[in-house]
Each structure stands twice: as structure tokens, then as C-alpha cells.
Amino acid sequence: NFLQALQARCVQAAADFPAMREEGWRRSWLAQRRVNLTAAGQQLEGVVCGLGPEGELLLRGDDGIVQVISSADLIRPVAD
């Protein structure tokens, strides 16, 4: 059931979060996509380039600077 599956994932996260984070990155539709996002009231745009050590979103801006995004109100892909 759902609660048992959730409990198993929590145990996995506690035992080996880096592996779980990598699995999440491999499955993410955000991986290497250009996005607009709103974080802390600020509009940002860049390419999602990875996940930080605690699962934060890493966003590379056009200036090459990578920002760590721990929370966002809205994330939208930028049309090609």
C-alpha cells in the first residue's frame, strides 16, 4: 500500500540519500532544461544543471553562475 511504500522510501533516504538523489535527477523532467522560476519573490531564468547535496535545485544562469534553489513558488520550462 501507499504508506508502506512511503515508509520504505524514507528508510532508503536515511540509509543512502546520495543514491536516491541521483535516481531523482535521472528521472527529472527538469534535467538540463531551461526554465523560468520564482524563488523568494525573485524571477530567475537558467538551465537546471543538477541537484545539491540536500536535493536543492541547481540553476545555471546565462552568466555561468550556479544558484542553489531550496524552494520555488513556480517553475516553468522556457519554450525552445
Side-chain angles (χ1 to χ4, degrees), residues 3-4 9 13 15 17 22-24 38 48 51 53 55 69-70 72-73:
L3 292 178
Q4 289 173 331
R9 294 299 273 182
F17 184 73
E22 289 304 314
E23 177 186 346
T38 304
V48 179
L51 297 175
I69 310 297
S70 59
D73 299 317

Side-chain angles (χ1 to χ4, degrees), residues 14-64:
D16 191 2
F17 184 73
M20 188 177 218
R21 183 186 63 230
E22 289 304 314
E23 177 186 346
W25 177 245
R26 283 191 307 274
R27 294 176 178 216
S28 176
W29 71 271
L30 290 172
Q32 302 305 323
R33 285 195 183 208
R34 185 172 231 358
V35 298
N36 283 316
L37 63 84
T38 304
Q42 187 177 14
Q43 292 278 77
L44 302 170
E45 184 171 320
V47 174
V48 179
C49 61
L51 297 175
E54 299 296 320
E56 312 92 338
L57 194 72
L58 302 180
L59 184 73
R60 180 176 291 112
D62 292 337
D63 57 5

